[in-house]
PDB file of all heavy atoms in Angstrom:
ATOM      1  N   GLU A  34     -16.038  11.367   8.739  1.00  0.00           N
ATOM      2  CA  GLU A  34     -16.661  10.287   7.979  1.00  0.00           C
ATOM      3  C   GLU A  34     -15.678   9.114   7.842  1.00  0.00           C
ATOM      4  O   GLU A  34     -14.468   9.305   7.838  1.00  0.00           O
ATOM      5  CB  GLU A  34     -17.051  10.743   6.570  1.00  0.00           C
ATOM      6  CG  GLU A  34     -18.116  11.819   6.518  1.00  0.00           C
ATOM      7  CD  GLU A  34     -17.562  13.186   6.874  1.00  0.00           C
ATOM      8  OE1 GLU A  34     -16.429  13.500   6.460  1.00  0.00           O
ATOM      9  OE2 GLU A  34     -18.244  13.929   7.604  1.00  0.00           O
ATOM     10  N   ALA A  35     -16.223   7.908   7.648  1.00  0.00           N
ATOM     11  CA  ALA A  35     -15.392   6.713   7.525  1.00  0.00           C
ATOM     12  C   ALA A  35     -14.570   6.747   6.243  1.00  0.00           C
ATOM     13  O   ALA A  35     -15.044   7.193   5.198  1.00  0.00           O
ATOM     14  CB  ALA A  35     -16.276   5.476   7.531  1.00  0.00           C
ATOM     15  N   GLY A  36     -13.327   6.294   6.335  1.00  0.00           N
ATOM     16  CA  GLY A  36     -12.499   6.071   5.146  1.00  0.00           C
ATOM     17  C   GLY A  36     -11.475   7.153   4.873  1.00  0.00           C
ATOM     18  O   GLY A  36     -11.487   8.234   5.462  1.00  0.00           O
ATOM     19  N   ILE A  37     -10.562   6.824   3.974  1.00  0.00           N
ATOM     20  CA  ILE A  37      -9.528   7.750   3.502  1.00  0.00           C
ATOM     21  C   ILE A  37     -10.015   8.292   2.158  1.00  0.00           C
ATOM     22  O   ILE A  37     -10.479   7.515   1.310  1.00  0.00           O
ATOM     23  CB  ILE A  37      -8.185   7.015   3.251  1.00  0.00           C
ATOM     24  CG1 ILE A  37      -7.783   6.110   4.437  1.00  0.00           C
ATOM     25  CG2 ILE A  37      -7.072   7.996   2.877  1.00  0.00           C
ATOM     26  CD1 ILE A  37      -7.378   6.806   5.683  1.00  0.00           C
ATOM     27  N   ALA A  38      -9.905   9.605   1.949  1.00  0.00           N
ATOM     28  CA  ALA A  38     -10.294  10.171   0.655  1.00  0.00           C
ATOM     29  C   ALA A  38      -9.319  11.270   0.274  1.00  0.00           C
ATOM     30  O   ALA A  38      -8.733  11.929   1.140  1.00  0.00           O
ATOM     31  CB  ALA A  38     -11.711  10.717   0.715  1.00  0.00           C
ATOM     32  N   PHE A  39      -9.120  11.441  -1.034  1.00  0.00           N
ATOM     33  CA  PHE A  39      -8.235  12.480  -1.564  1.00  0.00           C
ATOM     34  C   PHE A  39      -9.068  13.583  -2.178  1.00  0.00           C
ATOM     35  O   PHE A  39     -10.167  13.328  -2.683  1.00  0.00           O
ATOM     36  CB  PHE A  39      -7.319  11.887  -2.638  1.00  0.00           C
ATOM     37  CG  PHE A  39      -6.345  10.890  -2.092  1.00  0.00           C
ATOM     38  CD1 PHE A  39      -6.644   9.530  -2.084  1.00  0.00           C
ATOM     39  CD2 PHE A  39      -5.128  11.313  -1.558  1.00  0.00           C
ATOM     40  CE1 PHE A  39      -5.756   8.610  -1.563  1.00  0.00           C
ATOM     41  CE2 PHE A  39      -4.240  10.395  -1.041  1.00  0.00           C
ATOM     42  CZ  PHE A  39      -4.545   9.048  -1.040  1.00  0.00           C
ATOM     43  N   ILE A  40      -8.512  14.815  -2.145  1.00  0.00           N
ATOM     44  CA  ILE A  40      -9.129  15.911  -2.878  1.00  0.00           C
ATOM     45  C   ILE A  40      -8.095  16.429  -3.862  1.00  0.00           C
ATOM     46  O   ILE A  40      -7.028  16.916  -3.468  1.00  0.00           O
ATOM     47  CB  ILE A  40      -9.630  17.012  -1.939  1.00  0.00           C
ATOM     48  CG1 ILE A  40     -10.637  16.379  -0.970  1.00  0.00           C
ATOM     49  CG2 ILE A  40     -10.252  18.158  -2.757  1.00  0.00           C
ATOM     50  CD1 ILE A  40     -11.696  17.217  -0.420  1.00  0.00           C
ATOM     51  N   ALA A  41      -8.389  16.255  -5.146  1.00  0.00           N
ATOM     52  CA  ALA A  41      -7.494  16.696  -6.219  1.00  0.00           C
ATOM     53  C   ALA A  41      -8.322  17.496  -7.195  1.00  0.00           C
ATOM     54  O   ALA A  41      -9.420  17.067  -7.571  1.00  0.00           O
ATOM     55  CB  ALA A  41      -6.888  15.477  -6.918  1.00  0.00           C
ATOM     56  N   ASN A  42      -7.819  18.661  -7.595  1.00  0.00           N
ATOM     57  CA  ASN A  42      -8.571  19.495  -8.555  1.00  0.00           C
ATOM     58  C   ASN A  42      -9.972  19.815  -8.057  1.00  0.00           C
ATOM     59  O   ASN A  42     -10.910  19.886  -8.847  1.00  0.00           O
ATOM     60  CB  ASN A  42      -8.735  18.742  -9.887  1.00  0.00           C
ATOM     61  CG  ASN A  42      -7.661  19.155 -10.863  1.00  0.00           C
ATOM     62  OD1 ASN A  42      -7.065  20.225 -10.704  1.00  0.00           O
ATOM     63  ND2 ASN A  42      -7.423  18.324 -11.863  1.00  0.00           N
ATOM     64  N   GLY A  43     -10.137  19.969  -6.752  1.00  0.00           N
ATOM     65  CA  GLY A  43     -11.446  20.282  -6.181  1.00  0.00           C
ATOM     66  C   GLY A  43     -12.430  19.128  -6.203  1.00  0.00           C
ATOM     67  O   GLY A  43     -13.615  19.309  -5.947  1.00  0.00           O
ATOM     68  N   CYS A  44     -11.935  17.926  -6.471  1.00  0.00           N
ATOM     69  CA  CYS A  44     -12.823  16.787  -6.655  1.00  0.00           C
ATOM     70  C   CYS A  44     -12.415  15.684  -5.667  1.00  0.00           C
ATOM     71  O   CYS A  44     -11.224  15.435  -5.472  1.00  0.00           O
ATOM     72  CB  CYS A  44     -12.671  16.405  -8.122  1.00  0.00           C
ATOM     73  SG  CYS A  44     -12.953  14.771  -8.581  1.00  0.00           S
ATOM     74  N   MET A  45     -13.393  15.073  -4.996  1.00  0.00           N
ATOM     75  CA  MET A  45     -13.063  14.053  -3.993  1.00  0.00           C
ATOM     76  C   MET A  45     -12.986  12.658  -4.625  1.00  0.00           C
ATOM     77  O   MET A  45     -13.883  12.268  -5.367  1.00  0.00           O
ATOM     78  CB  MET A  45     -14.094  14.043  -2.867  1.00  0.00           C
ATOM     79  CG  MET A  45     -13.672  13.077  -1.770  1.00  0.00           C
ATOM     80  SD  MET A  45     -14.850  12.899  -0.419  1.00  0.00           S
ATOM     81  CE  MET A  45     -14.661  14.448   0.421  1.00  0.00           C
TER      82      MET A  45
END
Side-chain angles (χ1 to χ4, degrees):
E34 296 76 39
I37 311 290
F39 294 93
I40 302 208
N42 264 339
C44 153
M45 185 183 288

